[in-house]
């Protein structure tokens, strides 16, 4: 509905065997193939014979207005069992693609919205890919025949169903490459860590040596302090001995001074007596002289 020359909902049945689409030039036969390609995830407007993706939306005619959205649904029967295992329990698989003029696009598998990748994955290896041999529009047969061997190989591989495994191989190789890059980064990190470990080891040894030396220093300081203390104590003892010795001497001297002072007082008394006697004698002498 709304796809190219199909503004209205149009249902086409493709039964087993050959289905022919017949009609006059320009009636829209190729648009059916475009619709099939498009719903299967074709991303190139050129492959859909348009300039931009918006060209797939019905652009109106003299009698009809343009539409705002194109929607194509393709329904596969799963009866023959040729269906990816994830969808085996469905009786049919319906894929739907919608495009709005705003540029917004939506994909659905069995009415559940999904990514374009899920649509691609669904067709991988089934032989029904967008680029597969199964859709060959007018003029392509000649292209396939005259294609380069590599291009033909791609078509045959998709038909044989090995493109799925090739894709997986590529994904696995990409993963291996990413893992290799990660390993490289890890080995860089490891060597950087080793360098850091070495430097930390050196620092740890330095710290250990510092601890030992610091302990030794503290012991030496303690020893010195105790020696200092002992020395001071001995000095103190000597000094107090000296002090008491001097005190003894002082007591002795003061005793001597006292006795000398006593003696001096006695001598002074004796002198006074002698002077008095002298005076008396002089007086006597004077009287006798008279
Ligand atoms: P031929 O036999 O010449 O190859 P055909 O039957 O394959 O022709 P198509 O090429 O499928 O025809 O259809 C062409 C027609 O589709 C043209 O008339 C064109 O105007 C119409 N058409 C294409 N795109 C749109 C669109 N976006 N909106 C409306 N009509 C469109």
């Amino acid at each position: 509905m709304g796809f190219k020359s199909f503004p209205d909902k149009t249902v086409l049945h493709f039964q087993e065997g050959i289905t022919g689409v017949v009609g006059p030039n320009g009636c829209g036969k190729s648009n059916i193939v475009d619709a099939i390609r498009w719903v299967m995830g074709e991303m190139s407007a050129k492959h859909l014979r348009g300039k931009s993706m918006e060209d797939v939306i019905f652009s109106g005619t003299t009698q009809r207005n343009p539409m705002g959205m194109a929607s194509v649904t393709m329904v596969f029967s799963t009866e023959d069992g040729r269906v990816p295992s994830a969808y085996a329990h469905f009786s049919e698989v319906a894929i739907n693609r919608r495009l709005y003029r705003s540029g917004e696009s939506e994909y659905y598998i069995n009415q559940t919205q999904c990514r374009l990748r899920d649509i691609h994955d669904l067709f991988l290896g089934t032989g029904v890919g967008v680029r597969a041999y199964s859709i060959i529009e007018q003029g392509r047969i000649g292209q396939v025949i005259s294609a380069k061997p590599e291009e033909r190989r791609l078509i045959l591989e998709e038909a044989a169903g090995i493109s799925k495994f090739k894709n997986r191989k590529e994904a696995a190789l990409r993963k291996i490459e990413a893992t290799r890059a990660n390993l490289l980064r890890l080995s860089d990190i490891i060597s950087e860590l080793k360098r850091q470990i070495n430097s930390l080891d050196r620092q740890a040894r330095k710290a250990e040596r510092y601890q030992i030396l610091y302990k030794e220093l503290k012991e030496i300081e303690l020893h010195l302090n105790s020696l200092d203390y002992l020395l001071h104590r001995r000095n103190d003892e000597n000094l107090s001995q000296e002090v008491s010795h001097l005190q003894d001497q002082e007591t002795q001297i003061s005793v001597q001074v006292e006795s000398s002072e006593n003696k001096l007082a006695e001598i002074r008394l004796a002198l006074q007596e002698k002077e008095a006697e002298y005076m008396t004698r002089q007086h006597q002498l004077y009287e006798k002289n008279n």
Side-chain angles (χ1 to χ4, degrees):
M1 185 176 68
F3 187 88
K4 287 205 172 184
S5 52
F6 297 92
D8 298 317
K9 183 172 175 177
T10 313
V11 181
L12 298 167
H13 294 279
F14 297 91
Q15 305 294 348
E16 261 190 73
I18 295 171
T19 302
V21 185
V22 190
N25 282 354
C27 72
K29 304 184 291 294
S30 298
N31 288 347
I32 295 172
V33 179
D34 291 342
I36 294 173
R37 278 177 177 284
W38 187 68
V39 72
M40 284 166 71
E42 177 61 69
M43 291 311 281
S44 154
K46 205 180 95 206
H47 285 140
L48 300 164
R49 303 177 303 141
K51 282 200 193 73
S52 73
M53 206 38 108
E54 203 190 322
D55 290 342
V56 304
I57 304 172
F58 177 69
S59 56
T61 61
T62 42
Q63 283 97 42
R64 262 189 106 138
N65 285 335
M67 290 184 75
M69 177 193 82
S71 170
V72 175
T73 305
M74 185 150 68
V75 184
F76 293 94
S77 160
T78 61
E79 265 166 30
D80 61 0
R82 289 196 298 163
V83 62
S85 54
Y87 300 94
H89 58 287
F90 291 106
S91 62
E92 45 184 38
V93 179
I95 56 167
N96 172 230
R97 180 174 180 177
R98 292 174 199 178
L99 177 73
Y100 298 87
R101 279 214 190 271
S102 58
E104 216 177 311
S105 69
E106 291 167 1
Y107 301 90
Y108 295 84
I109 296 177
N110 284 351
Q111 276 89 47
T112 307
Q113 195 161 5
C114 62
R115 299 163 305 168
L116 171 62
R117 241 202 92 173
D118 300 318
I119 307 260
H120 282 157
D121 285 352
L122 175 67
F123 288 113
L124 265 183
T126 60
V128 204
V130 192
R131 300 260 167 276
Y133 72 104
S134 52
I135 305 170
I136 298 172
E137 74 270 34
Q138 292 175 42
R140 273 287 312 270
I141 294 179
Q143 261 181 7
V144 171
I145 291 167
S146 61
K148 286 186 201 141
E150 308 93 72
E151 287 169 9
R152 213 172 10 242
R153 186 197 166 110
L154 278 181
I155 296 168
L156 293 176
E157 277 176 356
E158 174 71 31
I162 61 167
S163 55
K164 178 181 185 173
F165 299 104
K166 279 192 83 176
N167 276 9
R168 278 196 200 154
K169 183 184 161 194
E170 267 165 33
L173 283 176
R174 269 199 304 278
K175 267 192 198 157
I176 288 173
E177 202 36 59
T179 309
R180 208 168 271 151
N182 277 347
L183 275 177
L184 208 70
R185 247 193 28 239
L186 274 181
S187 79
D188 277 357
I189 292 172
I190 286 172
S191 62
E192 173 57 29
L193 284 177
K194 262 189 195 155
R195 253 204 308 280
Q196 286 183 15
I197 286 174
N198 283 345
S199 133
L200 284 175
D201 206 36
R202 273 200 300 279
Q203 285 180 28
R205 279 206 301 272
K206 247 189 218 168
E208 234 167 66
R209 220 172 120 64
Y210 166 79
Q211 295 275 355
I212 292 168
L213 287 175
Y214 185 75
K215 219 168 129 192
E216 266 178 37
L217 178 72
K218 285 284 136 190
E219 272 169 20
I220 290 170
E221 270 178 9
L222 202 68
H223 200 62
L224 271 178
N225 283 341
S226 72
L227 275 179
D228 210 27
Y229 169 73
L230 285 176
L231 217 65
H232 274 101
R233 225 172 77 164
R234 191 166 298 165
N235 270 352
D236 269 6
E237 274 169 13
N238 285 349
L239 280 175
S240 54
Q241 262 176 16
E242 215 170 306
V243 166
S244 76
H245 183 66
L246 286 173
Q247 275 172 345
D248 284 352
Q249 274 185 350
E250 194 200 356
T251 332
Q252 273 175 21
I253 287 169
S254 59
V255 168
Q256 277 176 6
V257 166
E258 207 176 323
S259 90
S260 299
E261 272 175 352
N262 285 344
K263 267 187 196 161
L264 189 64
E266 274 171 26
I267 289 168
R268 247 186 215 131
L269 202 66
L271 185 64
Q272 271 175 3
E273 281 171 3
K274 290 284 181 201
E275 269 175 356
E277 200 185 318
Y278 173 71
M279 293 291 276
T280 321
R281 292 270 170 103
Q282 248 195 349
H283 191 66
Q284 282 171 357
L285 180 65
Y286 178 71
E287 273 181 358
K288 271 180 188 170
N289 280 340
N290 276 340

